[in-house]
Each structure stands twice: as C-alpha cells, then as structure tokens.
Amino acid sequence: MNKWVIGIVSMVIVLAGIIYAIYQLNDYDFNDAEKSYEIVESWELPSELNEVSGMVYNEDGLMICVQDEDGILFTFDMETKEIIEKHKFSYSGDYEALTYLDGIYWVAESNGRIIDISDLDVADRELEGKQLDFEYRNNIEGMTATQDGKLWIIVKDRNLDNSSGYKGVYEYDPKTRKLQIEPILRVDYDDPKFERLKTHNPRKLLRPSDLAIHPLTGDLYILDAEFQKVIITNQQGSIKSIHLLDPAEFEQPEGIAFSKDGRIFISNERVGVPANIREIKFN
C-alpha cells in the first residue's frame, strides 16, 4: 500500500479516536449514572395508542389518554389493560398534551390550538377550540393544570419571543381566555444543575415532551423524550434535581401524570417495543 495512503488512514483513525474521546468527555452517558428511580409497575398499551402523547390519571384506576394523530380521548383500564371507551372530540391533528381542570379535559395541539372538553360523551362532534399565540415553530408539547385554576403550557422549540438561553413555561387563564405572553417561569440553561449533563447543546439540555405539577409538593416535573430525563424544578423554575431515564426502559417518554397521592406515571410511544405506561418511584 502506498505510504501516503497509509499515512492518511492512520491520521483519520487518530482523529476519529480524538473526536470520540472528546465526545465521551463532553456528553452524558447513562451508564455512568447511578440509577435514581425504580419501576413499580408497567402496562403495555394496545396498538391504537402507539402514538400516546398525553394522559390524565383517573382515581378509579383508569388512564385517560390522547394520541397525537387522532382527535379521540381513550379510556384505558389499568386493571384489564384494555381500552374501554373512546370519545371523539375533533378531526385528525397533532395532539401533544392533555390535562384536567375543574371537570374539564383540556387538549393542546402542537400549533397552539387548545380544546376544552366538558362532556366526554362528544362522539362524532368536532369541537372548534381556541387558537393561542403559538404556532408550529413553538411546538407545544406539554400542558398541566395548576392548583389555582390556570393552565401551564411548555414549548419544545422556540419561546414566544424567539429568545434563547432558557425554556419558557406560559400561563393560560381558562376564565379570561387569555394567554400570558411573558413566561410564568423560565428554566435557565445556565442553571448549575445542568453541568452534570456535560453538554451545552440546548437540544440535550431540555426539549420538553410534557410537564406535570406534583399534587403534594407543588414541584414541576418536566419530561424530556429526546434526551430521556425528568427535570424537577420549584415554581420559580430553579432546578432541584435531574433524573436520567434509561433509554432501554424509556424509549420515547411523551407523557407524565400523577395520582392524587403522588404516584408517577410516564407513557412511552412505540419505538421498537409496544407503547407502554410505567409507574416509577424516585429514590
């Protein structure tokens, strides 16, 4: 072999080794972490919920779910592991979030349309909903109800003011039907807790897939499906802890929900294995 070719190949191998070493040094590896949670129980979901994107826990042992393609609410019985009811509320779309407030289910579409469903028996009806000051480039992924009767909405991509350096959570008042344009809280990318992730890439720091408020502590739990983790903040946005999720157990975590007594449920879309819901407990 020509010496020049050997030299070039050797240089490529050396450079590849250097790049890999830098990557390993500056990128978080789940295997380096001490697992900070345990799986309490798992439920495999039927194929109709392969794209499960949001859920609300009903205290009767039922999980109300939405999947991101069809305007249907599914009632999943966690004992029989079957869908027992379906309620159509709108046409096909990109439905990414579901929450419950004062007897009303609220669904959010990624483009900023929200729909309130006060009566589950809405079969074959297409509810109009309301378009908020979001669009596809903001990409709504999560919504949760607060204890004082508001809805908190989180974007996966751009903040409303297009600024960077943080991820914004926005407040919508169902009574006045108004969205607060300024974030109600910000999760700053320069928060020292992010240092454990060994990256400055915003896509790895936080690209939310859902959020929920703990019913007992009031802390905000933000789920991330792209770099699987749960970030827990106070209601001012300061990070209290970060829990990495094993990608082998949480292939694509898209929804998070609580029971009234604080049980934590995370749903996974189908990625290689059937869609599922896992109940977890943090150590």
Side-chain angles (χ1 to χ4, degrees):
M1 183 180 293
N2 187 294
K3 291 182 178 180
W4 284 102
V5 175
I6 295 174
I8 291 172
V9 171
S10 299
M11 288 181 62
V12 169
I13 293 173
V14 170
L15 284 172
I18 293 172
I19 292 171
Y20 179 76
I22 293 173
Y23 173 82
Q24 288 292 91
L25 183 64
N26 294 282
D27 193 74
Y28 196 93
D29 183 352
F30 178 82
N31 293 326
D32 292 339
E34 180 180 351
K35 198 169 182 178
S36 59
Y37 68 90
E38 62 179 277
I39 295 176
V40 178
E41 192 169 353
S42 295
W43 294 264
E44 183 176 314
L45 296 175
S47 59
E48 287 178 279
L49 287 172
N50 280 345
E51 303 293 323
V52 59
S53 55
M55 58 183 180
V56 168
Y57 181 75
N58 182 303
E59 296 301 319
D60 293 327
L62 307 176
M63 192 69 79
I64 312 300
C65 304
V66 68
Q67 62 105 346
D68 67 10
E69 295 178 347
D70 297 328
I72 299 173
L73 291 184
F74 298 83
T75 301
F76 177 72
D77 189 317
M78 302 180 76
E79 182 176 349
T80 65
K81 300 184 180 180
E82 296 177 343
I83 293 171
I84 59 172
E85 290 182 346
K86 301 177 191 178
H87 301 284
K88 181 177 173 60
F89 62 85
S90 192
Y91 47 79
S92 297
D94 185 19
Y95 303 101
E96 294 291 347
L98 174 66
T99 193
Y100 183 78
L101 176 63
D102 296 335
I104 297 175
Y105 289 95
W106 292 83
V107 179
E109 202 171 358
S110 61
N111 65 357
R113 184 170 73 112
I114 63 171
I115 302 169
D116 56 303
I117 308 166
S118 57
D119 182 3
L120 281 183
D121 295 323
V122 291
D124 301 320
R125 290 179 58 192
E126 293 187 353
L127 302 178
E128 186 66 25
K130 177 180 176 59
Q131 180 64 45
L132 304 185
D133 294 323
F134 296 101
E135 53 189 49
Y136 279 111
R137 66 177 184 170
N138 304 121
N139 195 2
I140 289 177
E141 282 283 326
M143 179 170 60
T144 191
T146 68
Q147 293 178 348
D148 62 350
K150 306 295 195 303
L151 298 179
W152 281 8
I153 299 170
I154 199 164
V155 296
K156 186 175 185 178
D157 295 318
R158 296 188 185 186
N159 295 310
L160 278 177
D161 62 2
N162 291 326
S163 60
S164 56
Y166 71 91
K167 186 61 64 181
V169 176
Y170 299 87
E171 184 174 270
Y172 175 75
D173 189 335
K175 293 182 179 178
T176 64
R177 299 274 173 169
K178 290 184 179 180
L179 176 73
Q180 185 173 311
I181 300 301
E182 286 296 315
I184 191 69
L185 67 85
R186 306 180 183 205
V187 181
D188 292 318
Y189 293 154
D190 61 1
D191 191 303
K193 289 288 198 304
F194 276 128
E195 292 177 3
R196 68 172 296 196
L197 303 184
K198 301 180 182 179
T199 180
H200 297 289
N201 183 348
R203 292 182 68 91
K204 290 196 171 184
L205 291 178
L206 182 55
R207 293 195 81 218
S209 57
D210 202 2
L211 79 169
I213 296 174
H214 195 290
L216 304 180
T217 67
D219 289 336
L220 185 64
Y221 284 55
I222 303 174
L223 184 65
D224 188 330
E226 187 152 329
F227 186 8
Q228 295 96 321
K229 58 183 173 291
V230 176
I231 296 177
I232 302 175
T233 80
N234 61 23
Q235 295 215 2
Q236 289 71 50
S238 296
I239 297 176
K240 300 178 73 171
S241 59
I242 297 177
H243 299 272
L244 277 293
L245 303 175
D246 187 346
E249 297 172 335
F250 294 91
E251 299 82 3
Q252 189 168 330
E254 292 286 344
I256 185 169
F258 287 101
S259 66
K260 288 181 179 179
D261 58 0
R263 294 166 66 195
I264 308 168
F265 302 93
I266 294 176
S267 62
N268 288 281
E269 289 189 4
R270 178 187 176 97
V271 180
V273 298
N276 58 69
I277 295 172
R278 302 195 194 282
E279 180 183 351
I280 67 169
K281 180 170 65 175
F282 290 119
N283 300 334

